[in-house]
Amino acid sequence: MLPLLHREVADKRAWATIEEITDYYAIAQCLPGIIAIKASALIGYKHSGAIGSIAAALGVAFPAVVASLIIAVTIDQLMEFELVAHIFNGVRVAVLALVIDATIKMWKSGVKDLIGAIIFSVALAAFILLGISPVIPVIAGGIFGLVVRHNLRERSDL
């Protein structure tokens, strides 16, 4: 999802910057529901207000709902074919590559210094090792980043 957002929204159409898309994606992860719909609604709102938000959310949701219904009706019959099983295995590999690409792009746009790298590492470790919800590291990292930035500003004002 994130590489598609970067390419379509930032690179091709310039509706939002990569940093804004990364922020929208982080906000979307903190809210219940489908991330793609929430992120597109935020981008639509930025571009065209409430109507843009509704149109973007529906534009993302409708094709996915139709495709899901078609797959749900036919999946049992399709999985009997060896070729289809191999295709799904290939899709898993492609999805892993997309996730790695998105992680690298988010790292480049979001981690600006050692403090950011530490926040990222602690959040990733908490998510993977402790199995906690991603919402907690996102909120804690945001609060920690604000506190650190505030303290750095106070020191520079002295």
Side-chain angles (χ1 to χ4, degrees):
M1 175 66 197
L2 199 53
L4 294 174
L5 281 172
H6 284 170
R7 186 173 53 248
E8 291 297 321
V9 176
D11 297 340
K12 287 186 179 178
R13 298 182 181 10
W15 288 341
T17 65
I18 290 176
E19 288 80 14
E20 289 173 324
I21 293 169
T22 303
D23 291 344
Y24 296 153
Y25 191 79
I27 292 168
Q29 284 185 318
C30 294
L31 301 170
I34 299 169
I35 294 172
I37 293 172
K38 295 176 291 186
S40 64
L42 289 168
I43 294 166
Y45 186 82
K46 178 191 183 285
H47 190 267
S48 299
I51 297 297
S53 180
I54 293 167
L58 290 175
V60 169
F62 185 74
V65 168
V66 171
S68 296
L69 287 173
I70 292 170
I71 290 170
V73 169
T74 61
I75 192 72
D76 288 335
Q77 293 97 9
L78 289 175
M79 289 307 286
E80 293 177 8
F81 297 106
E82 187 175 336
L83 177 64
V84 174
H86 289 304
I87 289 171
F88 275 104
N89 288 335
V91 168
R92 287 185 190 133
V93 173
V95 168
L96 177 61
L98 289 172
V99 168
I100 290 169
D101 181 59
T103 302
I104 291 169
K105 285 183 179 178
M106 287 177 70
W107 176 275
K108 287 179 181 177
S109 67
V111 178
K112 305 285 186 199
D113 53 16
L114 179 62
I115 294 169
I118 291 170
I119 292 171
F120 173 81
S121 300
V122 169
L124 182 64
F127 176 68
I128 292 173
L129 299 176
L130 302 177
I132 63 174
S133 168
V135 174
I136 295 169
V138 167
I139 292 172
I143 292 169
F144 182 74
L146 288 172
V147 169
V148 168
R149 186 170 63 167
H150 177 71
N151 287 339
L152 290 175
R153 282 188 183 163
E154 283 185 0
R155 287 185 186 167
S156 66
D157 290 340
L158 296 177

